[in-house]
Amino acid sequence: PRWWGVKPKLDQITWNVGDPELQAKAYVNDELDAVDLQATTYRAARGTGTIQRAAGVEWSQVTLNGGRGPLRDPKVRQAVAHAIDRGPIASRAAKALGAPAAPLGSLLLVPGQKGYRDSSAPIAYAPDQAEKLLGEAGYVKGADGMFAKDGEPLTLTLPVPEGTPTNKVRATAVAGDLRKVGIAVTLRPVPAATFFDDVVIPLDFDLVTFVRRASPFPLTAAKPLFFPLDSAQNYTGLATPRLGTGFDTVLGTLDDELRLKRVAKLDEWLFDDASVIPLAVTPVVVGVRKGLVNYGAAQFEQPDWTSVGFVKKASKRD
């Protein structure tokens, strides 16, 4: 009663909490007016109401631990990057949501943000280049088609949280691509509940894949992912000095046009470092029942709840 703004169209809003499958079922059964959809629920809900899509904020990636083992060598990290075919991974993720493939070409911005451009040429899919880089790093390909150095096979571990089918599919695809060029990957199941605390944060991996979330303040959010070394969000095992300087320079640039040029250059430096490989952006997908207006899929915007409501049904006299 003391609300000072525009009078809302709705008297009340009810949120029903449940797992994604239960929410999708409730939406189909006319028990919800709108529902956020995931890859596992899109197919069940797509025939009901309207499916809205927006540019995504969540992006999948592979993090390389450059602080130990073979991946300390930048040539090996670059070889891994060139060996991963990101296109099919992005296609599979998008197809599950009825959306076009969206391979991610930046580590700083996502499509839909001002200044986004594909700067991923330094990690373009190139199996021959991957094998060449491994040779330059001192690895030799054996009769079995796998690389080794000083008698030690080039084997990387990739932990996979149990009970996460999308993560497992992604990890399996990455492992398959690397094996094609002669890099063995061991998929190691780990409990999902302790995946970050026991595996990611203590850097107990060579490779790891999970989903990150983009920020409306992208540069401020991205810096701690790469610099400094003791950042709580830096899981790369690296802190290349020029990246620290690059982030400080970009964050201190006030001219919009110059800042975006420097963002693109910083992206190139990040790809040269090859410590994080972006895979795909997951679109925002929302099922909206017919008649509900001013609510639906959006990238960073939040709904104006005073304008959300239902289209008034016309009477027979109208």
Side-chain angles (χ1 to χ4, degrees), residues 285-303:
V285 182
V286 179
V288 180
R289 193 166 300 285
K290 185 177 180 180
L292 176 61
V293 296
N294 297 330
Y295 179 85
Q299 188 173 38
F300 292 110
E301 294 292 329
Q302 296 297 314

Side-chain angles (χ1 to χ4, degrees), residues 56 58-61 84-95 99-107 109-112 116-120 123-125 271 277-283:
E58 294 188 338
W59 53 283
S60 57
Q61 50 81 46
I84 297 175
D85 191 354
R86 300 181 301 129
I89 294 175
S91 295
R92 279 191 294 270
K95 185 177 180 181
L104 182 57
S106 171
L107 287 164
L109 303 170
V110 292
Y116 172 83
R117 69 172 73 175
D118 189 339
S119 302
S120 63
I123 61 165
Y125 180 55
F271 284 124
I277 303 166
L279 298 176
V281 182
T282 303

Side-chain angles (χ1 to χ4, degrees), residues 104-190:
L104 182 57
S106 171
L107 287 164
L108 301 173
L109 303 170
V110 292
Q113 288 185 305
K114 183 179 180 180
Y116 172 83
R117 69 172 73 175
D118 189 339
S119 302
S120 63
I123 61 165
Y125 180 55
D128 291 344
Q129 178 66 9
E131 294 191 25
K132 179 183 176 183
L133 287 165
L134 291 174
E136 293 175 0
Y139 288 87
V140 178
K141 201 168 192 178
D144 60 354
M146 308 305 289
F147 277 98
K149 185 176 184 180
D150 300 327
E152 288 290 328
L154 177 52
T155 302
L156 305 175
T157 60
L158 199 169
V160 181
E162 297 171 330
T164 56
T166 54
N167 192 304
K168 185 175 181 180
V169 168
R170 197 165 56 240
T172 300
V174 169
D177 285 344
L178 294 181
R179 184 168 185 83
K180 289 176 184 177
V181 300
I183 301 174
V185 176
T186 301
L187 300 181
R188 175 164 60 92
V190 298

Side-chain angles (χ1 to χ4, degrees), residues 209-263:
T209 177
F210 54 88
V211 172
R212 291 192 180 275
R213 190 173 182 84
S215 168
F217 308 101
L219 297 174
T220 304
K223 182 179 178 180
L225 306 184
F226 302 96
F227 196 89
L229 185 62
D230 60 357
S231 165
Q233 299 176 57
N234 184 356
Y235 308 133
T236 69
L238 301 169
T240 307
R242 76 166 179 172
L243 294 182
T245 302
F247 272 107
D248 289 343
T249 300
V250 172
L251 288 167
T253 303
L254 300 181
D255 180 84
D256 285 346
E257 185 175 346
L258 179 58
R259 183 172 63 254
L260 292 178
K261 288 181 180 179
R262 288 177 171 173
V263 166

